[in-house]
Amino acid sequence: MPINIVNYIDANEGVGGKDLGQICVGEWDLIKQFTELHLWAIRNSNLPKGEYLLEVQFNPANSVSGAMLSSEAMKVFGKIGATLLLTEQNSSSTGET
């Protein structure tokens, strides 16, 4: 499942934020998603301070336990004002077996 990236800095209450795209489309493995999220953070470390939401959807059945997010990526998240949301999806909700 993709990692959705949304900026809520100019959003009014009850109104969605600006969709900034997706990474890892079709990928459910949390380790691979965190690797791509790290790379995204490094490439986007100069984004203006905002209210970004990084929604990571993963399926535990398709992930190896022990995924790790780098401190470098977390520093970027703090600098740009990003919140990380982990959403667990089970096989029945993803259509996978």
Side-chain angles (χ1 to χ4, degrees), residues 3-57:
I3 297 172
N4 298 307
I5 304 165
V6 181
N7 186 358
Y8 285 94
I9 193 158
D10 293 322
N12 294 321
E13 188 173 334
V15 178
K18 181 180 179 187
D19 184 7
L20 299 180
Q22 300 176 330
I23 55 176
C24 289
V25 175
E27 182 59 65
W28 287 99
D29 184 344
L30 198 54
I31 291 175
K32 291 177 184 175
Q33 289 179 319
F34 274 15
T35 298
E36 288 301 313
L37 196 53
H38 168 88
L39 295 172
W40 178 89
I42 302 312
R43 287 190 303 264
N44 292 281
S45 62
N46 291 323
L47 280 173
K49 182 87 170 164
E51 293 179 28
Y52 302 95
L53 177 65
L54 310 172
E55 181 185 11
V56 178
Q57 298 179 37

